[in-house]
């Protein structure tokens, strides 16, 4: 567990100083000035970065200009300093790139920093480290970029069109994280950074530290270089969340109305420690040969503590009805917005109100070891060989303890708005004798994955030919994963449906001894900065009780032998939860680099083809539930047996890239390619449970043939990769040599084989039936445009000649073609409302139609200031996610409500001053406007309403960086 105790100075005084200094500096900083540094371009797309925003912009433009594919780069302004505090936050400034604000795209859990990267509307983004595959343990595919220490990054390249020599994978694009190498510097280089960061809601300060040392030496054996880079940082963040649950159709006094299922209030405190280690060795025994060895490790240790109050109604006697006197206020669609609420029989029952305490510690580690050689024996041949070993590990423990009480009435205000509030009699809430020890939950994950990869490339260059060179290569990788996911083990001792006789007075209440041992009186202090009213105080399980979960539950459940008394302590040993994957991938490519240099508008580029063969085996369990006919004939036995699901596929991936130099400063590009995205290992779990139901219309039968095999799962070991055919047309105008550039890009992607949970036919080990599971469903078209311009205004009179601007805008229009569910077909995927009405075609999830970035810069006379605003429009998150899938009022199934993220914009700022040439002090602030993340639930007849509102920290930091 991360130690959250800080010294008195750090917790009380330093935050005040940071906020005061940040506020003053951001107001007056633009009055200063600074000299910009220049960037020196090296061979290919490598560059030596000096300091300053101008150098960063110019270096990124040099990468884009020289590349033979479509790429946008972010280059560190100085050693250990990307423009933003995390890789993810930095990526959102790139044209066509947007980031989410949720952990694992779960709308129930906001992220402390930007999380989840989408390129041109697609989250299927390939991650690379120095051009090699890198991944997280559970997925075996992409990487959570927010887990990677930004301090270790030299540059971040976003590739939007591939070439044949690039590793396959990534429908949206590829993000390559580049670290420094010893030979990037002329000689010895040392740097260190010390930073303190502070969150305005959590009111806690934490430290960040990083340091780099690099040197190179010439000897009789050739030139040697060594580099080491270390970083560690801690972060504390708070998020206050209020939820309104979907509206259900009700009949109140003979009138059709819409009533919300309930309202939640939560406070999430998030703590993390992010450590990074990187070392690199280079040896050039002669001018033709270079040998290198690198080691990289990123480790994130995190925990979040959640305290929640919630009003959770159900159907029947537990449904919300007006209290007396009836004072409900309604919206335009007949939906209840405010009023006093109760249940049908408050004397015997009451509102279902609960509180919960949750604690979730976890770790995630990715380690990469790579070595290789580059050899150029003459002016024509280039050879390279590379070996890589990656190991990724992750753990997660999740514990929840809850209590329940049944107040007879409550006052609700603003249901379905940003400020949904509640009032309950404080005397009732602060009397522990009204509470009952309710529920307990555990969830565990243990993930390990590794990959061994070898690669060989050869290139031959021609003289005086339109064929500049021919490049070919091969790559082989073996990847294994061993993942355990126990699911969520909920055990409910008491709830509305477990009470004896339907009378709350017969439920066992908390004793004075239990309250003393396990509970604490909790208050939401300054919830959402005072915008939302919550109960003044209420009892929850104490932090100590949930962090000693097993001792607590053993004490609470002493003497109880029922199924709901006690969670499974040995769940991690249950082989049925294990998901073991073995994957072998072999690929080869041929690529031709061409150039027509004698044309009035010279043309160059490349074309090629990459062939990829993948073989996957998922090891798991096939579980069948005992089912018999009316006369006792076995339809399905009761069994659980090891099960191997084998899957293999081959893809041919052509690519074509063209660059036309209309003038020395204007480039026109065209690109066409095919890309794939393989399903994650967690989506391919081979744990399948089969059941059997009578065919529709039958109530009993003695014939086995009258039964249909069924399954319901969130995974599918037979998933095929998603594919995309993509086209790009762009223009770049480098209108001055001081960072002035404008660009326009048009793009189209045709995507097939989306991963969607829906109904489809299956054939598993000879069992044929209709099931609901993850499947390849439907297709989509994405069309879009990107526009951007950057400019430094050197011709303005002093002191305004230090001003600069970087602006970009992205427009994306998408159309999905997902088969919708049709009665009787057993196929299709789509949302369904609480009144069982259907929706039409949904947009592609995670895709905003409009997004823009505006960055204002100032550099002159040692002062560097930056004001950055990022905005993206509304986008679909998911449908039917947890909390937005209530039971239908008649109990015949569940609804699946679409949830959107509303428009979101965030303002960040920084100002730095360099003194004595080698020292820089910087003040930074993020989320200056204290923007809230707003979710929208889309219902057909009830209308659109706010599903949730998250208020997250505004963050301030101060740092000192030195370079020698």
């Amino acid at each position: 567990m991360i130690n959250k105790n800080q010294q008195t100075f750090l917790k009380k005084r330093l935050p005040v100083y940071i906020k005061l200094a940040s506020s003053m500096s951001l107001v007056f900083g633009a009055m200063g000035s600074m000299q910009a540094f220049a960037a020196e371009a090296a061979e290919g797309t490598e560059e030596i970065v000096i300091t300053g925003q101008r150098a960063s912009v110019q270096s990124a433009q040099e990468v884009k200009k020289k590349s033979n594919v479509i790429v946008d780069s972010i280059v560190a302004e100085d050693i250990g300093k990307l423009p933003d505090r995390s890789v993810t936050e930095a990526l959102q400034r790139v044209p066509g790139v947007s980031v989410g604000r949720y952990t694992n795209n779960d709308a129930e859990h906001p992220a402390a920093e930007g999380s989840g990267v989408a390129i041109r509307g697609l989250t299927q983004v390939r991650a690379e480290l120095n051009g090699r595959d890198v991944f997280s343990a559970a997925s075996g595919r992409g990487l959570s970029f927010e887990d990677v220490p930004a301090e270790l990054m030299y540059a971040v390249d976003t590739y939007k069109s591939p070439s044949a020599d690039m590793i396959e994978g990534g429908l949206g694009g590829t993000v390559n994280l580049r670290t420094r190498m010893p030979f990037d510097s002329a000689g010895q280089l040392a740097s260190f950074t010390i930073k303190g960061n502070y969150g305005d809601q959590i009111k806690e300060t934490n430290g960040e530290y990083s340091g780099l040392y690099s040197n190179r030496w010439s000897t009789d054996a050739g030139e040697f270089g060594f580099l080491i880079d270390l970083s560690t940082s801690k972060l504390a963040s708070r998020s206050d969340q209020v939820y309104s649950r979907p509206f259900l159709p009700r009949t109140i006094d003979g009138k059709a109305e819409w009533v919300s299922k309930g309202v939640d209030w939560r406070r999430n405190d998030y703590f993390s420690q992010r450590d990074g280690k990187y070392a690199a060795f280079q040896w050039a025994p002669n001018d033709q040969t270079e040998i290198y060895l690198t080691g990289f490790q990123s480790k994130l240790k995190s925990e979040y503590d959640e305290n929640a109050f919630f009003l959770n109604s159900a159907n029947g006697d537990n449904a919300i009805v007006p209290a007396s006197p009836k004072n409900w206020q309604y919206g335009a669609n007949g939906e209840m917005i405010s009023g006093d609420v109760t249940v049908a029989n408050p004397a015997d029952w009451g509102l279902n109100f609960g509180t919960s305490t949750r604690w979730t510690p976890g770790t995630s580690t990715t380690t990469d070891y790579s070595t290789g050689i580059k050899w150029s024996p003459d002016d024509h041949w280039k050879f390279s060989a590379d070996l890589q070993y990656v190991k990724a590990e992750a753990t997660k423990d999740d514990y929840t303890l809850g209590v329940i009480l049944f107040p007879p009435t409550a006052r609700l205000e603003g249901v379905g708005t940003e400020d949904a509030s509640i009032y309950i009699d404080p005397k009732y809430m602060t009397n522990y004798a009204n509470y009952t020890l309710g529920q307990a939950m555990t969830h565990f994950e243990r993930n390990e994955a590794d990959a061994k990869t070898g690669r060989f490339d050869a290139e031959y260059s021609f003289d005086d030919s339109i064929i500049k060179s021919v490049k070919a290569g091969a790559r082989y990788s073996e990847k294994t994963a061993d993942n355990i996911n126990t699911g969520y083990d909920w055990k409910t001792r008491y709830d509305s449906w477990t009470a004896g006789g339907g009378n709350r007075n017969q439920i066992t209440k908390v004793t004075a001894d239990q309250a003393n041992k396990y509970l604490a009186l909790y208050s939401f202090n300054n919830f959402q900065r005072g915008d939302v009213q919550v109960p003044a105080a209420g009892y929850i399980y104490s932090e100590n009780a949930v962090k000693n979960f097993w001792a607590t539950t053993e004490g609470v459940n002493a003497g109880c032998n029922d199924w709901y008394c006690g969670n499974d302590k040995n769940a991690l040993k249950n082989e049925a939860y294990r998901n073991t994957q073995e994957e072998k991938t072999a690929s080869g490519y041929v690529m031709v680099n061409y150039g027509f240099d004698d044309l009035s508008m010279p043309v160059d580029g490349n074309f090629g083809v990459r062939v990829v063969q993948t073989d996957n085996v998922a090891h798991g369990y096939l579980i069948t539930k005992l089912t018999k006919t009316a006369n006792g004939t076995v339809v399905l036995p009761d069994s659980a047996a090891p099960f191997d699901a084998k899957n293999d596929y081959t893809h041919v991936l052509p690519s074509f890239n063209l660059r036309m130099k209309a003038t020395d400063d204007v480039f026109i590009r065209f690109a066409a390619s095919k890309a794939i995205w393989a399903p994650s290992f967690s989506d391919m779990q081979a744990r399948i449970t089969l059941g059997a139901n009578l065919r529709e219309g039958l109530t009993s039968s003695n014939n086995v043939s009258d039964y249909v095999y069924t399954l319901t799962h969130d995974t599918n070991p037979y998933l095929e990769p998603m594919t995309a055919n993509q086209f790009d047309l762009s223009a770049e105008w480098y209108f001055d040599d001081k960072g002035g550039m404008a660009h326009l890009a048009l793009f189209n992607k045709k995507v097939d084989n989306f991963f969607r949970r829906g109904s489809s036919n299956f054939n598993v080990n000879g069992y044929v039936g209709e099931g609901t599971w993850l499947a390849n469903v439907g297709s989509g078209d994405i069309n879009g445009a990107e526009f951007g311009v950057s400019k430094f205004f050197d011709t303005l009179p002093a002191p305004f000649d230090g001003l600069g601007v970087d602006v970009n805008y992205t427009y994306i229009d998408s159309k999905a073609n997902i088969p919708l569910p049709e009665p009787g077909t057993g196929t299709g995927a789509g949302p369904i409302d609480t009144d069982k009405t259907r929706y039409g075609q949904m947009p592609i999830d995670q895709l905003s139609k409009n997004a823009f970035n505006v960055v204002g810069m100032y550099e002159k006379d040692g002062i560097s200031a930056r004001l950055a605003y990022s905005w993206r429009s509304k986008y679909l998150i998911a449908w039917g996610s947890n909390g937005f899938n209530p039971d239908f009022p008649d109990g015949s199934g569940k609804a699946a409500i679409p949830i959107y993220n509303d428009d979101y914009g965030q303002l960040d700022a920084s100002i730095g001053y360099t003194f004595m040439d080698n020292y820089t002090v910087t003040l930074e602030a993020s989320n200056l406007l204290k923007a809230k993340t707003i979710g929208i639930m889309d219902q057909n007849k009830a209308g659109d309403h706010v599903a949730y509102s998250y208020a997250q920290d505004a963050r301030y930091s101060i740092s000192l960086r030195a370079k020698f």
Side-chain angles (χ1 to χ4, degrees), residues 121 377 480 515 830 906:
T480 62
Q906 180 169 309

Side-chain angles (χ1 to χ4, degrees), residues 126-136 141 143 167 176-177 292-296 366-373 385-392 449-456 475-479:
R126 175 175 173 73
E128 293 185 350
L129 178 66
N130 296 318
R132 306 180 192 94
D133 190 31
V134 66
F135 51 86
S136 57
R141 306 300 178 200
L143 185 70
I167 303 172
N176 181 35
L177 308 176
Y292 56 86
L293 174 66
T294 64
F296 178 94
T366 297
T367 306
D368 173 283
Y369 299 104
S370 299
T371 185
I373 183 173
D386 191 274
L387 296 175
Q388 179 195 26
Y389 175 72
V390 179
K391 185 173 182 63
D450 66 7
K452 306 176 186 71
T453 304
R455 176 173 179 168
F456 178 79
R475 179 178 179 271
Y476 178 77
S477 179
E478 291 185 356
K479 189 178 290 186

